[in-house]
Structure formats: C-alpha cells, structure tokens
Amino acid sequence: MLSRLSKQLSLSASTSRNLLFQKRFSPNDGTSLWSCSFATQSGTSTARQSFVADGSMTDKIFASYSVYKGKAALSTSPMLPTFRKLDSGGVKLDRKGSIMLTFWPAVGERKYDWEKKQCFALSATEVGSMINMGPQDTREFFHDPAMLSSNAGQVRKSLSIKPHADGSGYFFSLNVVNNILKTNERLVVPVTAAEFAVMRTAVSFALPRIMGWDQYSNQPLGTAHKNPSKVLPHLTDSEWDK
Amino acid sequence: MLSRLSKQLSLSASTSRNLLFQKRFSPNDGTSLWSCSFATQSGTSTARQSFVADGSMTDKIFASYSVYKGKAALSTSPMLPTFRKLDSGGVKLDRKGSIMLTFWPAVGERKYDWEKKQCFALSATEVGSMINMGPQDTREFFHDPAMLSSNAGQVRKSLSIKPHADGSGYFFSLNVVNNILKTNERLVVPVTAAEFAVMRTAVSFALPRIMGWDQYSNQPLGTAHKNPSKVLPHLTDSEWDK
Amino acid sequence: MLSRLSKQLSLSASTSRNLLFQKRFSPNDGTSLWSCSFATQSGTSTARQSFVADGSMTDKIFASYSVYKGKAALSTSPMLPTFRKLDSGGVKLDRKGSIMLTFWPAVGERKYDWEKKQCFALSATEVGSMINMGPQDTREFFHDPAMLSSNAGQVRKSLSIKPHADGSGYFFSLNVVNNILKTNERLVVPVTAAEFAVMRTAVSFALPRIMGWDQYSNQPLGTAHKNPSKVLPHLTDSEWDK
Amino acid sequence: MLSRLSKQLSLSASTSRNLLFQKRFSPNDGTSLWSCSFATQSGTSTARQSFVADGSMTDKIFASYSVYKGKAALSTSPMLPTFRKLDSGGVKLDRKGSIMLTFWPAVGERKYDWEKKQCFALSATEVGSMINMGPQDTREFFHDPAMLSSNAGQVRKSLSIKPHADGSGYFFSLNVVNNILKTNERLVVPVTAAEFAVMRTAVSFALPRIMGWDQYSNQPLGTAHKNPSKVLPHLTDSEWDK
C-alpha cells in the first residue's frame, strides 16, 4: 500500500514533467525521441517566466557518465530544474529536475547507434531508491510519459535494476512498449560495482541540485563587503545606518 | 542524563530562534501560524544589521521536498541562518538555521489543506539525530515554541519518527497541543525508505549550510587574478609589491 | 610502526602551522592563548603574499558548532588554509587548514569561562581518523605546539576520544600540560551520537576545504559566455579565432 | 567477463587522455615525465577552443594531499577536465579529468627525490572502484600510456591496492615497466586507515568535479535579480514581458 502510494508519486512526478513537454511537441514526434532530446541538457525550458535559458543551445552541457558494454551503452546525466518568478518576488521551483538515464544499442564491435536511444528520467524519489540499494536489492520503476494526456497508456516504460548473481554489480534493463510507433524495445547494460559506485556518488552529488536545494546557500559574507562592486543592496552601509 | 542534557540543548536551540520571533509577532497570532509562515523562506530576518534580506518576499525560495500520502502531506526545506556584522568587522552567525518540516492534512481525494499546516523546525543536532537513524531506530523531539516567554508551556510540539514494522520506512508523526487556541492536533505521514533516502541526502547537504559552514570556503585563486574586475582588494598587484 | 610514522606526520603537520605562529608571537604569550585566538577565524595570515586577508578582523567568520555540557563546552570550527602565489604564476597551499576544537570550562549553572579555553587543531589526517571511527573505537592524538622550537616539550597537548559504555556517543577529553605557565588542565565533554553525527557530517564537508581542494572546481561554462562582463580572458571570442 | 569489459573501459578512458598528450609531446620525452608534469595542474590544455587556460602557469593549483613514509611518498590531487565549445553553442566535456596519484622514492632520512616520481591517473571508474573498497578488498589497475600509438606496450603501469594484514590500512604499489627508458621501477607506500579516509572523502568530493558535473548547478536566483549588474540576459525584465 505504501509502495503503491509511492509509485503514484513517482508517476505524477514524471507526469508533471511530461505534460509540460506535451505543450511543445506533437505526440507523433514519438516519446522516445523528444524525451531524449533533453537527455544532456541543463534544465532548459520554453515555459514563460522561466529563470533558465529559453531553450537556446547555449545552455546545453554535455558531461554524461557513460559506460559501453557488449550489447548497449548507458549514459547518466542530471537535468536541472526550472524556476519561475512569483509576483510576490520569490522564486519557486517550476519543473522538477531529474537524472536522465539514456540507453542506446550496440550495432557492431564497439559501435553504438545513438539514433536508437531510449531514455528514462529518474525523479528525486527514484534516485533515493537507487542510491539506497544494497548489493542484493532489486528495483523496478514504471513511467507513462503521456500519462493524463489523450495518449495515456500508449507508451509504457519500465526500468529494472537487478543484482548480478555474484554481487559484482547490477543489470540495468529498460523496456519501452510504444503503441504509437508499434515498437517494443529492451536494452540491457551490465553495470559493475565500480561503475555503480561512480553513479551513486555522482547522483548523490546531483540530487540536491535537481531538487533545487543548491539555491539554499549563504551569501559569501567574509569577502562580500570588501568588494563594493559585488555588495548586494541589503549589504550596503545604509543597511547599517537604519 | 546525557540525553536529558542533549534535549535541553535542542530546546534552547529552538528557543533562541523563537525568542527572536517573539519580538516580531504577538503571541495571539498563534505559534503554529507564524512559525509556518517561515517554512519555505530562505532565512530572512528583520533583525537590525542582518546580512540577509529585510524580510521582503524577494528572498523567498520555494523548493521543498514534499510527499503526499493518504491522510497528510509532509514537506522538508532548509531555513538558512542569519548573520550580523560585528563592530570588529567580522561576521557572526546570528539566528541559527534549521530544517523545517511542515505537515498539512488531507481533506479529500488527493486534496490537502495548507491552511491547517503544522511545523517543526529541526535544529542541527536534531538533524544529526535523524540522519544517524538505523532502520529500526526511533526518535522523538519536544519543542516549546514559547519557551522562556510568558507563554511557556502554552504550546507543546512533539515529533516522533518510528520505523515501519517491515523496515520499509518510517512514520513521521507531529503532535501539537496548543492551549492558546485550545487545539490538539496530530498529523501522521508514512515515509518510504526511498523518500527517507532523499531526505537523508538532502538534509545532509543542507546541514553545513544551516550551520553557516558554507561560509568557510576558499576564494577561487586559480582564476581570480586573471579577471581584474573581480580581484579582491588583497589580491591586487600592490599585494605582491609590498 | 605505521601508526608511529602516522603520528610523526600529524605532529609535523601541526608543527608547520605552529612554527609560522612562532614568528608572530612571543612564546610567553602562552601557546593555549594565541592558538585559540585563531579558533574561529577564516584562515587569516600575515605571511607575505598570502592570498587571504592580512589578519584584519574583516575576515573573521564565527559559525562554530558548540555543545554545552555539565563541566565544559566544546566548539568545532574550520580554519581555512592560506595560499601563496608562485613566481611561476601558480598558486600553492601555504599554511594547511585544520579543524579547531575549543574546550572551555563550566564555572556555574550553565555558565562557562571562555578565558580559560584550550584548543586542539586537528590536521586533515586526524580528521580522517575521527570521521572513520566506529561506535566502539578510541582515538588519541598528541601535539607539541612548540615542536622544533626552543620551547619544544614545554607544552604537551593530548586529545582522546573514547566511546560511552553504552555506545551512545563519545567522551572528548583534552589534557594540556604547560610547563611555561606551570599548568596541567583537563577538560572533558560528553558528545552524544547525534552531536557526533553533526560533527562528522560538518567536518566531512569542511575536510576538502581545509585541504584547499575546493580550489579544484570548474568554471561555470554554461552561463559564463552569456554574460560578457563576467567572461574570463581565455573565454573571449578571440580564444576561438586563434 | 564483466571485469574485462570494465578494464577495457578504464584503459580506453586513460587512453583518450593519453592520445591527446601524444599530440603535444614526443614519445621520447618519456611517459613518466610528461604525465607527471600535469600531476598538480588544474586541468590545463593547449587544445584549440579549450574552455580552460592555455597552459600558462597561472592556472596551476598545488594543494595535493601527501603522505611521507619510509621508502616513498604518495601525493593525491585532482586533474580537472577540459571543455570545448560546440558550434551549436553548448559546452561539451573534452578531456576527462582524473585523480593523479604521484609516487616518489625516499633517498635518505625524510629525504625524497621528486625527480624520480612516477604517476598514475585514476579514471572516474577507477576512483569509484577505490572509494568502494572494503577493509579486506584488493584492487589492481593497468594502464598503457601509449596505448593505440606506435609505442603501444612500450610502457606498462600497474597500480595495486592491498589491505594490511591487520586491516589497519592499505599498501599502494605502483610498478612501471618502461621499455623506452629500459627501466622497471616499483614504489610502495603504506597508507593508514586514517589517511585512506582522507583520500576517500577528498576524492569523493573531487569525483563529480573531474566528471564535470559541478557544471550542473543552478543559478543563484534568490539574489541574482537584486543585483542588476549580475542578472543574466534571460533573467532581464524583458523575459517577463514576453
């Protein structure tokens, strides 16, 4: 019962993201295509009043962590959240960030076809579930990118993380059933314990950032008032003369 | 005995915060109301010589981590500390930061009433106690928001964190007895292991920041002196010509 | 044998710090006094060509984590390292940073005498030893603040960290034998598991910073070139036209 | 089989680095020399369109963590990645960063010969493997700095990390067989548990940075719009009037 509630949460989390996407892409673009077009982007958005860039390429950062294995490759990268300004003057998290997992198949000896990539955007709670895994634990997440839209149920994605029999790592498996494109694809990437340790450390670093919590940082006070050109309005002398 | 001393510390910690609040709010405002009005605020303050904003809305950051369950919802967000300038020129932590937990009840199918919210501000030590929990551990914290004021004992808050029988997470329960408003409210939110992992990682990230320790960072030296407009006074060439 | 070598390392680490101090203070000032005068300071220095402030109070940051117990209080705070510019143009760590532990005795009901404080500056390796402790582990560190000077052996400091019998925390004990002032003081502070969790998390956050490793951060590229006034020389268009 | 794939990855990782080096250094320089010349550098590069400095000394940061033992010393320091600008306007990780381990032999009582240093650049995955070690685990990594070049196989480096019999730390052993210089050197440094805890904490801090993930950080919104001179183009009022 708890897990069902939890699943609903993760679904609605990815949904709020995807509904925003729906505004920008016709369903016929194909879910797997557009969702991946954001895989390595630094949380851009065309939403009005977004605090981040207007979708121009200048915001794209490409620094994924990628592992290449026999049948497919897997890359991991953060998608930062977007913020909007409130009439009150405050700033509010708009679209939640995520950790984007991108799978793409091998098509030969160390050759991989990026065009055939499939993505899965982990919500904060799904990231918490992943970094919390013990050596023998298993996880499975379900997403419907078109949930709550007229295409609900047309595309079903499931990600499973299963331990190697010898505890030396995990199998990451992404299954995408797309009734629009009439496709059913499955991509499996074995991840070693060392590679998972990198993923765990890197996504733990990224988690507060995709949540927007790096906004909760203090102004550098020790130096700010030494450099008048950088002093904020509320740090001017007038502040002290009130 | 140790735990009693420890409890005194956490009480006095939250007290120092609340005494400051007393200066700004008439007790009749109702503790639960005003304390929550700061729940998602980035450490604002009206204290004279505060290094952070003067309470204007422009400082508010809304990026809470919220979980919505059957009977209530729970959101977690940092409250940054405030600093004041010393006549000596140094900067000193003024009001300590905290991690604000806000509970608000469900009033229907996926409907929640924010007006009925109740808050609990975890001190640094209470945060340490929470991130230190094992799967079967239990925690209970007691706060008297009006402690040391004429209203001492009028409002009693207790937060308990108890493990699920199957170790799949914790129950977060907040009980608020308000003798001013003649109310006795209890809000319970089940938190899954995955959600707790997010809370643990996020508040561990926030802990040094609510303590003000992110002030202890080095100036970026590798590049600062390349960009004269950003060079600090003590980094100017004259420094090298002494 | 390894532990002896390790001890030598930690001694020489604190020594290099203290020898610098010797240049600025007459031994008669009393080691315990002057070392504490730096307890809550953000790595200032009067060393020529230091990259940090010239010792003016404007650099002082006071955000210690303090616990107050029956017989004494203990505060923990980072001391940032200092850097110097090389003729080559590079920047080099000059004086290593540390985590300063300051003990001061109780002189009545919740009254403490800051004038009687005693300090112990943990080196990076000693911090590693502390954050690595299991619930039943014990640690003991020895410092001679005047080591390698004419006053070698005149002041001996030892810090011991011993677990509570019930595993509910640790006793932090500082013993200072000062043959100059003819004093032998011992200060003991019980630290709860929750308080130790705060110390562990906070000093783990501070460790890379007292090592100067926060200098190893990338320039923010995603946005730098959008804001000409902030572009670094090597980021100007001329860079691309080479 | 997994471990073989994993090894191929780590080899190709260090290779991509080394092939870049090949462009700038004649093989006769000797691998150990040029690779170490970058040991304590903050990710400089002479590659065209690099986002970091053009190799001038001004970028060098020297803040290694070093341990000095009976027969050799070992220093650890991050090498930041380099980035390049895409015609599209995005920024892409160019040369991957690493954690550089530098060994140099003792030549007397506390005397060490830096000229005889040998280096080993740990890739992100090798760092993950190291921070993931249990008290009794062993690791061994193999690098061919000239891999895929005409000098492939001429220089073979292997790093092994083996636990002390009593679990009190690890032996770090670097073996370098250089068929160009006709040398076969072995350097061994015992690392205590405390020192390894510092290394683990420090490289865990550095890991997201050598991966370039610190680029994935949010703009400080709470204050940016208060300081017009720092507002980014997409944050101007015009943004809100669209």
Side-chain angles (χ1 to χ4, degrees):
Chain A
M1 186 277 220
L2 283 184
S3 59
R4 209 184 70 248
L5 280 170
S6 164
K7 187 174 301 176
Q8 292 175 340
L9 178 61
S10 72
L11 282 174
S12 57
S14 66
T15 303
S16 64
R17 248 193 321 278
N18 295 321
L19 291 186
L20 270 161
F21 287 171
Q22 297 299 337
K23 302 172 188 168
R24 303 200 290 282
F25 299 92
S26 83
N28 295 342
D29 289 346
T31 300
S32 65
L33 296 181
W34 63 255
S35 68
C36 287
S37 69
F38 282 76
T40 54
Q41 209 156 337
S42 169
T44 64
S45 164
T46 59
R48 197 170 167 297
Q49 287 198 331
S50 167
F51 262 92
V52 292
D54 55 7
S56 69
M57 300 292 282
T58 54
D59 259 9
K60 284 193 179 176
I61 295 172
F62 300 88
S64 303
Y65 175 63
S66 302
V67 296
Y68 300 85
K69 300 304 172 73
K71 293 181 175 164
L74 167 62
S75 88
T76 306
S77 64
M79 280 180 64
L80 291 175
T82 59
F83 296 85
R84 59 188 175 84
K85 191 180 186 183
L86 302 174
D87 298 339
S88 67
V91 291
K92 191 176 190 313
L93 192 72
D94 178 6
R95 193 175 79 228
K96 291 174 175 175
S98 64
I99 296 294
M100 185 64 81
L101 300 180
T102 306
F103 295 70
W104 65 111
V107 292
E109 178 64 28
R110 299 201 184 196
K111 287 190 175 55
Y112 301 87
D113 184 351
W114 179 254
E115 291 308 308
K116 291 202 172 69
K117 64 184 175 303
Q118 295 284 357
C119 302
F120 198 88
L122 294 171
S123 69
T125 300
E126 289 164 339
V127 169
S129 181
M130 185 182 109
I131 62 182
N132 206 26
M133 288 179 76
Q136 294 308 322
D137 289 343
T138 292
R139 296 286 185 267
E140 186 152 24
F141 306 117
F142 301 92
H143 286 183
D144 176 352
M147 189 180 177
L148 302 190
S149 80
S150 59
N151 294 303
Q154 292 301 298
V155 177
R156 281 176 289 104
K157 296 183 173 190
S158 67
L159 173 74
S160 77
I161 308 176
K162 299 201 167 102
H164 296 148
D166 61 0
S168 66
Y170 301 89
F171 288 103
F172 278 64
S173 307
L174 177 60
N175 183 229
V176 179
V177 177
N178 188 326
N179 292 332
I180 300 171
L181 307 179
K182 300 276 174 291
T183 57
N184 182 339
E185 303 178 69
R186 182 174 190 76
L187 293 159
V188 182
V189 175
V191 172
T192 67
E195 293 159 350
F196 190 74
V198 174
M199 291 172 69
R200 188 197 298 267
T201 302
V203 300
S204 296
F205 170 86
L207 181 55
R209 290 157 177 83
I210 66 173
M211 294 167 66
W213 277 36
D214 54 345
Q215 295 290 354
Y216 296 106
S217 296
N218 295 299
Q219 293 296 315
L221 305 181
T223 56
H225 59 294
K226 288 204 218 130
N227 196 349
S229 69
K230 287 177 66 197
V231 170
L232 299 177
H234 61 276
L235 294 180
T236 54
D237 291 343
S238 60
E239 177 80 11
W240 319 127
D241 303 343
K242 270 188 196 141
Chain B
M1 186 276 220
L2 281 185
S3 59
R4 210 185 66 250
L5 279 170
S6 164
K7 187 174 299 175
Q8 292 174 341
L9 178 61
S10 71
L11 282 175
S12 58
S14 66
T15 304
S16 64
R17 243 191 326 275
N18 295 321
L19 290 186
L20 269 160
F21 287 172
Q22 295 301 335
K23 301 173 189 166
R24 302 201 290 282
F25 299 92
S26 83
N28 295 343
D29 290 345
T31 299
S32 64
L33 296 181
W34 63 256
S35 67
C36 286
S37 69
F38 282 76
T40 54
Q41 208 156 338
S42 168
T44 63
S45 163
T46 60
R48 197 171 168 296
Q49 289 199 331
S50 166
F51 263 92
V52 293
D54 55 7
S56 69
M57 299 293 281
T58 55
D59 260 8
K60 284 193 180 176
I61 295 171
F62 299 87
S64 303
Y65 175 64
S66 302
V67 296
Y68 299 85
K69 300 304 171 73
K71 293 180 177 167
L74 167 62
S75 87
T76 306
S77 63
M79 280 179 63
L80 292 176
T82 60
F83 297 84
R84 61 188 174 82
K85 192 180 187 183
L86 301 174
D87 297 338
S88 67
V91 289
K92 190 176 191 312
L93 193 72
D94 179 4
R95 194 175 78 229
K96 291 175 175 176
S98 63
I99 296 294
M100 184 64 81
L101 300 181
T102 306
F103 295 71
W104 64 112
V107 292
E109 178 64 28
R110 300 199 182 197
K111 288 189 173 56
Y112 301 87
D113 184 352
W114 180 253
E115 290 308 308
K116 292 201 173 71
K117 64 184 174 305
Q118 295 284 358
C119 303
F120 199 89
L122 294 170
S123 68
T125 301
E126 289 164 338
V127 169
S129 181
M130 185 182 108
I131 61 181
N132 207 24
M133 288 179 76
Q136 294 308 322
D137 288 344
T138 292
R139 296 286 185 267
E140 187 152 23
F141 306 117
F142 300 93
H143 285 182
D144 176 352
M147 191 179 175
L148 301 190
S149 79
S150 58
N151 294 304
Q154 292 301 299
V155 177
R156 280 175 291 107
K157 296 183 173 191
S158 67
L159 173 73
S160 76
I161 309 176
K162 299 202 166 101
H164 296 149
D166 61 0
S168 66
Y170 301 90
F171 288 104
F172 278 63
S173 308
L174 177 60
N175 184 229
V176 179
V177 177
N178 188 325
N179 293 331
I180 299 171
L181 307 179
K182 301 278 177 288
T183 57
N184 183 340
E185 302 178 70
R186 182 174 190 76
L187 293 160
V188 182
V189 174
V191 172
T192 67
E195 291 159 351
F196 190 75
V198 175
M199 291 171 68
R200 188 197 299 267
T201 301
V203 300
S204 296
F205 170 87
L207 182 55
R209 290 158 177 83
I210 66 173
M211 294 167 67
W213 277 37
D214 54 347
Q215 295 290 355
Y216 295 106
S217 295
N218 295 298
Q219 292 296 313
L221 304 180
T223 56
H225 58 295
K226 285 202 219 136
N227 196 350
S229 69
K230 288 177 65 198
V231 169
L232 298 178
H234 60 277
L235 294 179
T236 55
D237 291 344
S238 61
E239 178 78 11
W240 318 128
D241 304 341
K242 272 192 195 136
Chain C
M1 186 275 221
L2 282 184
S3 59
R4 211 187 65 253
L5 281 169
S6 165
K7 187 175 300 176
Q8 292 175 340
L9 179 61
S10 71
L11 282 174
S12 57
S14 66
T15 304
S16 64
R17 244 192 324 276
N18 295 322
L19 290 186
L20 269 160
F21 288 171
Q22 296 300 336
K23 301 173 188 168
R24 301 200 290 282
F25 299 91
S26 83
N28 295 343
D29 289 346
T31 300
S32 64
L33 295 182
W34 62 257
S35 66
C36 287
S37 69
F38 282 75
T40 54
Q41 209 157 338
S42 169
T44 64
S45 163
T46 60
R48 197 170 167 298
Q49 287 199 330
S50 166
F51 263 93
V52 291
D54 56 6
S56 68
M57 299 292 282
T58 55
D59 260 9
K60 283 193 180 175
I61 295 171
F62 300 87
S64 303
Y65 175 64
S66 302
V67 296
Y68 299 85
K69 299 306 171 74
K71 293 179 175 167
L74 168 62
S75 88
T76 306
S77 63
M79 280 180 63
L80 292 176
T82 59
F83 297 84
R84 61 188 175 82
K85 191 181 186 183
L86 303 173
D87 297 339
S88 66
V91 291
K92 190 175 190 316
L93 193 71
D94 179 4
R95 193 174 81 228
K96 291 175 175 177
S98 64
I99 296 294
M100 185 63 81
L101 301 181
T102 305
F103 295 71
W104 63 112
V107 292
E109 177 64 27
R110 301 200 180 197
K111 288 190 174 55
Y112 301 88
D113 184 350
W114 180 253
E115 290 309 307
K116 292 203 173 70
K117 64 185 175 301
Q118 296 283 358
C119 304
F120 199 89
L122 294 171
S123 69
T125 300
E126 289 164 338
V127 169
S129 181
M130 184 182 110
I131 61 180
N132 207 25
M133 288 179 75
Q136 294 307 323
D137 288 344
T138 292
R139 296 285 185 268
E140 187 152 22
F141 305 118
F142 301 92
H143 285 182
D144 176 351
M147 191 180 177
L148 302 189
S149 79
S150 59
N151 294 303
Q154 292 300 299
V155 177
R156 282 175 289 104
K157 297 183 173 191
S158 68
L159 173 74
S160 76
I161 309 176
K162 298 202 167 102
H164 297 148
D166 62 359
S168 66
Y170 302 90
F171 288 104
F172 278 64
S173 307
L174 177 60
N175 184 229
V176 179
V177 178
N178 188 325
N179 293 332
I180 300 172
L181 307 178
K182 301 279 178 288
T183 57
N184 182 339
E185 302 178 71
R186 183 174 190 75
L187 292 160
V188 182
V189 175
V191 172
T192 66
E195 292 159 350
F196 189 75
V198 174
M199 291 172 68
R200 189 198 297 268
T201 302
V203 301
S204 296
F205 170 86
L207 182 54
R209 289 157 179 86
I210 67 174
M211 294 166 67
W213 278 35
D214 53 346
Q215 295 290 355
Y216 296 106
S217 295
N218 295 297
Q219 293 296 313
L221 305 180
T223 56
H225 58 295
K226 285 202 220 136
N227 195 350
S229 69
K230 289 177 65 198
V231 170
L232 298 177
H234 59 276
L235 295 180
T236 56
D237 291 344
S238 60
E239 177 80 10
W240 319 127
D241 304 341
K242 271 194 195 132
Chain D
M1 185 275 221
L2 282 184
S3 60
R4 211 187 66 251
L5 279 169
S6 165
K7 187 175 299 176
Q8 291 176 341
L9 179 60
S10 72
L11 282 174
S12 57
S14 66
T15 303
S16 63
R17 245 193 325 275
N18 295 323
L19 290 186
L20 270 160
F21 288 172
Q22 296 300 335
K23 301 173 188 169
R24 303 200 289 282
F25 299 92
S26 83
N28 295 342
D29 289 347
T31 299
S32 64
L33 296 181
W34 62 257
S35 67
C36 287
S37 70
F38 282 76
T40 54
Q41 209 156 337
S42 168
T44 64
S45 164
T46 59
R48 197 170 167 298
Q49 287 199 329
S50 167
F51 262 91
V52 292
D54 56 6
S56 69
M57 299 293 281
T58 55
D59 259 11
K60 283 193 179 176
I61 295 172
F62 299 87
S64 302
Y65 175 63
S66 302
V67 296
Y68 299 86
K69 299 305 171 74
K71 294 180 174 166
L74 167 62
S75 87
T76 305
S77 63
M79 280 179 64
L80 291 176
T82 60
F83 297 84
R84 60 187 174 82
K85 191 180 186 183
L86 303 173
D87 298 339
S88 67
V91 291
K92 190 176 191 316
L93 193 72
D94 179 4
R95 194 176 78 229
K96 291 175 175 176
S98 63
I99 297 293
M100 184 64 82
L101 300 181
T102 306
F103 295 71
W104 63 112
V107 291
E109 177 65 27
R110 299 200 183 198
K111 288 191 174 55
Y112 301 87
D113 185 351
W114 179 253
E115 290 308 308
K116 292 202 174 68
K117 63 183 176 303
Q118 295 284 357
C119 303
F120 199 89
L122 294 171
S123 68
T125 301
E126 290 164 338
V127 169
S129 181
M130 185 183 109
I131 61 181
N132 207 25
M133 288 180 76
Q136 294 307 322
D137 289 344
T138 292
R139 296 285 186 268
E140 187 152 23
F141 305 117
F142 301 92
H143 286 182
D144 176 350
M147 189 181 177
L148 302 189
S149 79
S150 59
N151 294 302
Q154 291 302 298
V155 177
R156 281 177 289 104
K157 296 183 173 192
S158 67
L159 173 73
S160 77
I161 309 176
K162 299 203 167 99
H164 297 148
D166 61 0
S168 67
Y170 301 90
F171 288 104
F172 277 64
S173 307
L174 177 60
N175 184 229
V176 179
V177 177
N178 188 326
N179 293 331
I180 300 171
L181 308 178
K182 299 280 177 288
T183 57
N184 182 341
E185 303 178 69
R186 183 173 190 76
L187 293 160
V188 182
V189 175
V191 172
T192 66
E195 292 159 350
F196 190 75
V198 174
M199 291 171 69
R200 188 197 297 268
T201 302
V203 300
S204 297
F205 170 86
L207 181 55
R209 290 158 177 84
I210 66 173
M211 295 166 66
W213 277 36
D214 54 346
Q215 295 290 354
Y216 296 107
S217 295
N218 296 298
Q219 292 296 313
L221 304 181
T223 56
H225 59 295
K226 286 202 217 136
N227 196 350
S229 69
K230 289 177 64 197
V231 170
L232 299 177
H234 60 277
L235 295 179
T236 54
D237 292 342
S238 61
E239 178 80 12
W240 319 128
D241 304 341
K242 272 196 197 129

